[in-house]
Amino acid sequence: MENICRPLLSSEQAGENFSHRGSTDSLDARAKRPFHVEPRNIVDDEPQERVSAEAAILNSRVQYYSKLTGSSDRLLSPPNHVIPRTEELYIYSPLGTAFKVSGKDHTTKNPSIITIFAIWNTMMGTSILSIPWGIKQAGFSLGILILIFTGLVMLYCCYIVLKSPKAIPYADTSDWEFPDVCRYYFGKFGQWSSLVFSMVSLIGAMVVYWVLMSNFLYNTGQFIYNYAHHINTSDSEFGTNDTDREFRLLFPQLTGVLTLAFFIHNCIITLMKNNKHQENNVRDLSVAYLLVGLTYLYVGVLIFATFPSPALSKDCIEPNFLDNFSSGDVLVFVARTFLLFQMITVYPLLGYLVRVQMMGQIFGKHYPSFFHVLILNILIVGAGVLMAKFYPNIGSIIRFSGATCGLALVFVFPSLIHMISLRRQSALRWPSAVFHSFLILLGMTNLVAQFFM
């Protein structure tokens, strides 16, 4: 900026020379200041001897508004047209050097296509194995309608989460995550409840992973044993009574599965921060949800429609649809092997996320002691072992954990935050209030229905 000869004095001392900052002629008034930065010491691609007079004027305006602000009244903060352009900004060093602020963001930014695929890949998890079972529980036609409706609702709630930090005035929310937003609106209750429900989603995923790893490892052993002894096994007949229906009363089980299948709300802000073109965030998020929805439709509809009925009943579709294939099937063996490898590598990462979030909030340290981490790991692994032994139904585990974490992080908190934000802006209208209240009621109903189905 014009003020190359920047004084290292108090605001009162600096104010004495305020009248000299309006033009470039004030650059010669170095004798009045104990420290200054020589123009030739400006660090840039090309040395600059002087900066523009416009920058000097803008600097004077900023100094004037700083006098009015008094360090607390944000209503008198400098308006946007007063703030100098990026190319006119310098970082001054008391060592006698001025570094020009680059207009480029040197952090890694991804193009839209990378962002879309990152969201798509993050959402595609173990839930896809239970989509055919969920469609069977809801009925073919109703299942398709529920999948589309749930995807749209989850997309809208994710959009609310994405824009929630930007609706907070007078605060730097650039590094905030959704739990920070919950803490801002609801205090400690919002902070701890968001942590609890986030743990439900992570630990639920770890339990599902353990059940699947046990299943895949067992079937891999069966495949090796069959081929070693030249035994040709096949699945037992489950019956020939076809009970296909287009609409079934067990449809809430599908909504629970889909709540976790479309769940990315606890990390969407982080993923979108790396998007190169922030103005395209909503579009990219919508495209990613479209791809995820089409993938679920393709897998669910294809498997359900091609299931050998009436030779077998559609009711024979397992919560893990790979269980419908013989242990001796080569392609299924390859699929199970790759999924087993993927889950073995991802499982420790999920455990790390649980430890960091839980220990950080409770003890203020990510690794309080070996004893604390050991107890936590024993509890998590023990829960997975017990579920794999006594209740290895991944469909039910997914729907309960999805409906539970979705209640807070998808429906209740985003809707309440949106309504509070609109109310503070005096922009809340009754249609919006009714719609978001309906979303809250929908999340509660979704969770309660899981216990009766």
Side-chain angles (χ1 to χ4, degrees):
M1 294 174 63
E2 174 70 13
N3 192 11
I4 296 179
C5 306
R6 183 174 181 263
L8 298 180
L9 301 174
S10 63
S11 58
E12 290 80 6
Q13 292 171 308
E16 297 176 359
N17 297 323
F18 177 73
S19 59
H20 298 288
R21 297 176 187 153
S23 66
T24 56
D25 296 336
S26 62
L27 292 174
D28 298 328
R30 300 172 186 165
K32 301 180 181 179
R33 305 178 182 181
F35 297 97
H36 66 273
V37 178
E38 294 291 343
R40 62 178 177 272
N41 287 342
I42 294 179
V43 178
D44 197 0
D45 295 337
E46 297 180 0
Q48 287 183 283
E49 293 300 325
R50 287 182 180 273
V51 293
S52 66
E54 179 184 3
I57 298 173
L58 290 177
N59 177 52
S60 298
R61 291 177 181 173
V62 170
Q63 296 290 337
Y64 172 72
Y65 276 99
S66 298
K67 294 282 187 181
L68 295 178
T69 302
S71 73
S72 62
D73 189 357
R74 297 182 181 275
L75 295 178
L76 296 176
S77 299
N80 292 334
H81 69 275
V82 172
I83 304 299
R85 298 189 303 271
T86 303
E87 59 268 20
E88 300 291 353
L89 295 178
Y90 295 86
I91 299 176
Y92 294 92
S93 168
L95 299 178
T97 306
F99 294 89
K100 189 172 184 179
V101 177
S102 174
K104 299 180 180 179
D105 189 354
H106 295 286
T107 59
T108 302
K109 296 294 184 180
N110 299 323
S112 293
I113 187 66
I114 300 299
T115 302
I116 292 171
F117 274 88
I119 298 173
W120 188 12
N121 180 64
T122 303
M123 268 196 281
M124 299 301 301
T126 56
S127 301
I128 196 172
L129 299 176
S130 296
I131 295 297
W133 171 81
I135 292 180
K136 181 259 294 186
Q137 298 296 87
F140 185 70
S141 298
L142 183 59
I144 294 176
L145 294 176
I146 288 177
L147 196 153
I148 296 173
F149 173 76
T150 304
L152 292 175
V153 171
M154 296 289 287
L155 170 60
Y156 176 74
C157 294
C158 194
Y159 162 73
I160 295 178
V161 172
L162 180 61
K163 74 172 187 177
S164 60
K166 301 177 182 178
I168 299 176
Y170 312 133
D172 182 12
T173 61
S174 57
D175 296 328
W176 283 27
E177 302 296 338
F178 191 59
D180 299 313
V181 178
C182 294
R183 183 178 67 246
Y184 173 84
Y185 282 98
F186 307 112
K188 288 292 185 179
F189 171 78
Q191 177 184 0
W192 286 103
S193 58
S194 62
L195 172 67
V196 169
F197 287 105
S198 180
M199 290 298 100
V200 169
S201 65
L202 289 174
I203 296 177
M206 293 186 72
V207 171
V208 171
Y209 270 44
W210 190 274
V211 173
L212 288 174
M213 286 189 296
S214 303
N215 177 282
F216 294 157
L217 187 60
Y218 171 79
N219 283 280
T220 300
Q222 285 289 98
F223 176 85
I224 296 174
Y225 176 81
N226 293 334
Y227 269 76
H229 292 268
H230 303 283
I231 297 176
N232 183 21
T233 62
S234 61
D235 292 329
S236 59
E237 295 293 330
F238 295 99
T240 58
N241 180 27
D242 194 301
T243 58
D244 302 343
R245 289 194 294 270
E246 298 296 317
F247 303 91
R248 304 185 70 179
L249 295 179
L250 297 177
F251 68 89
Q253 296 185 0
L254 176 59
T255 62
V257 171
L258 291 175
T259 304
L260 191 63
F262 285 109
F263 182 74
I264 199 175
H265 301 63
N266 59 344
C267 60
I268 188 61
I269 296 176
T270 302
L271 290 174
M272 282 303 187
K273 282 179 182 177
N274 296 324
N275 198 12
K276 186 175 183 180
H277 301 286
Q278 291 292 306
E279 67 276 8
N280 297 332
N281 278 351
V282 177
R283 183 202 66 184
D284 297 343
L285 179 65
S286 303
V287 173
Y289 260 85
L290 175 63
L291 293 175
V292 173
L294 290 176
T295 304
Y296 288 150
L297 274 175
Y298 174 77
V299 173
V301 171
L302 181 66
I303 293 177
F304 184 89
T306 58
F307 194 80
S309 175
L312 293 176
S313 170
K314 300 289 189 184
D315 285 331
C316 295
I317 297 178
E318 297 289 338
N320 175 7
F321 75 84
L322 291 178
D323 288 342
N324 287 109
F325 296 93
S326 169
S327 299
D329 191 296
V330 177
L331 294 179
V332 176
F333 165 75
V334 173
R336 284 177 174 143
T337 302
F338 279 106
L339 287 173
L340 176 62
F341 175 77
Q342 180 205 27
M343 292 178 183
I344 289 176
T345 57
V346 174
Y347 187 86
L349 176 61
L350 294 176
Y352 170 77
L353 294 176
V354 171
R355 174 172 64 83
V356 167
Q357 293 188 25
M358 183 176 294
M359 298 298 184
Q361 290 292 333
I362 298 176
F363 301 104
K365 298 179 181 179
H366 295 167
Y367 197 97
S369 71
F370 173 80
F371 177 77
H372 290 84
V373 176
L374 177 63
I375 294 298
L376 177 63
N377 290 338
I378 290 176
L379 292 175
I380 294 175
V381 174
V385 171
L386 291 175
M387 295 299 288
K389 174 65 177 178
F390 299 104
Y391 193 72
N393 188 326
I394 66 168
S396 294
I397 300 173
I398 290 174
R399 67 186 179 92
F400 276 105
S401 59
T404 302
C405 70
L407 173 64
L409 301 180
V410 176
F411 296 103
V412 176
F413 282 163
S415 298
L416 287 178
I417 288 173
H418 186 67
M419 287 191 290
I420 294 173
S421 177
L422 290 179
R423 183 176 179 83
R424 289 180 178 179
Q425 301 173 22
S426 300
L428 181 62
R429 301 294 182 265
W430 70 265
S432 179
V434 170
F435 175 71
H436 291 93
S437 299
F438 166 75
L439 290 180
I440 296 175
L441 181 62
L442 184 65
M444 295 180 177
T445 305
N446 184 34
L447 177 59
V448 172
Q450 305 306 318
F451 294 94
F452 297 95
M453 296 297 173

